[in-house]
Amino acid sequence: GIQVEQSPPDLILQEGANSTLRCNFSDSVNNLQWFHQNPWGQLINLFYIPSGTKQNGRLSATTVATERYSLLYISSSQTTDSGVYFCAVDDKDAGGTSYGKLTFGQGTILTVHP
Amino acid sequence: KAGVTQTPRYLIKTRGQQVTLSCSPISGHRSVSWYQQTPGQGLQFLFEYFSETQRNKGNFPGRFSGRQFSNSRSEMNVSTLELGDSALYLCASSLGGQGPWETQYFGPGTRLLVL
């Protein structure tokens, strides 16, 4: 199956700082999503971005599909941005189907201090 | 629209018991996927259901099973619980008709503790 690697594994910031999280994947993808997992465990959708660039407030994401990586940018970080950020991609089986299956990276643990 | 809901939110069981978890997808969504999250293995795909049929399955033992009802609600069952089954179980829903290009939306999860 596809391999997904996220970096850095841990990131500690002061409030107001900017950060870049990276996701590398080992094969072509049709689906790439970024999530923020809150302290209660729920995965919050940030972006659906198999290619191109999107922005939503202080967050933006870019996926370069040909080079098999995606970046999540967080600007002017706030303490509420703390949590774990996951990148997930569709994972095709030997027959080429990937119904409902996302493969997740190990996540980046972000801690923002006031 | 209401989001994905999961019940119960927390559960404590003992080894050897079985457990059933429930997931109600977003209205209009027909695909439900289940995932297990543990500190050691991270988030792993269990299975996916669409129109009451399992279309995809991850690498989990047969003790893990699921089903989907005609209203798209889904249940997963774990029989003969083991300590290692302690985890956060997440379900996700999507429209289901567009293959891998669909956004998946996750529920709040069920935390299962096996003693």
Side-chain angles (χ1 to χ4, degrees), chain B residues 5-68:
Chain B
T5 58
Q6 292 187 243
T7 56
R9 295 292 310 278
Y10 303 92
L11 207 48
I12 300 175
K13 293 285 188 179
T14 57
R15 279 179 297 173
Q17 288 187 309
Q18 73 165 8
V19 66
T20 299
L21 312 181
S22 180
C23 173
S24 292
I26 292 170
S27 177
H29 285 192
R30 297 166 64 194
S31 169
V32 174
S33 297
W34 288 90
Y35 295 84
Q36 180 197 66
Q37 185 177 23
T38 59
Q41 299 299 317
L43 278 148
Q44 295 185 288
F45 172 77
L46 281 156
F47 29 64
E48 186 260 5
Y49 286 87
F50 175 77
S51 291
E52 302 177 66
T53 300
Q54 185 182 88
R55 291 194 300 186
N56 206 351
K57 188 177 188 307
N59 296 323
F60 279 81
R63 300 186 297 106
F64 292 82
S65 63
R67 59 177 176 169
Q68 187 180 35

Side-chain angles (χ1 to χ4, degrees), chain A residues 49-71:
Chain A
I49 187 165
S51 63
T53 297
K54 290 186 177 180
Q55 181 160 4
N56 184 3
R58 296 181 296 104
L59 274 58
S60 63
T62 295
T63 297
V64 183
T66 53
E67 297 187 20
R68 298 182 183 168
Y69 72 89
S70 183
L71 301 174

Side-chain angles (χ1 to χ4, degrees), chain B residues 9 39 49 58 64-65 71 76 91 97 103 105 112:
Chain B
R9 295 292 310 278
Y49 286 87
F64 292 82
S65 63
N71 62 357
M76 67 163 283
C91 84
T103 300
Y105 298 91
L112 171 65

Side-chain angles (χ1 to χ4, degrees), chain A residues 14 21 23 26 29-30 33 39 43 45 49 92 110:
Chain A
Q14 288 296 126
L21 282 59
C23 171
S26 61
V29 298
N30 297 303
Q33 292 184 240
L43 288 171
N45 290 70
I49 187 165
K92 297 176 282 295
L110 176 63

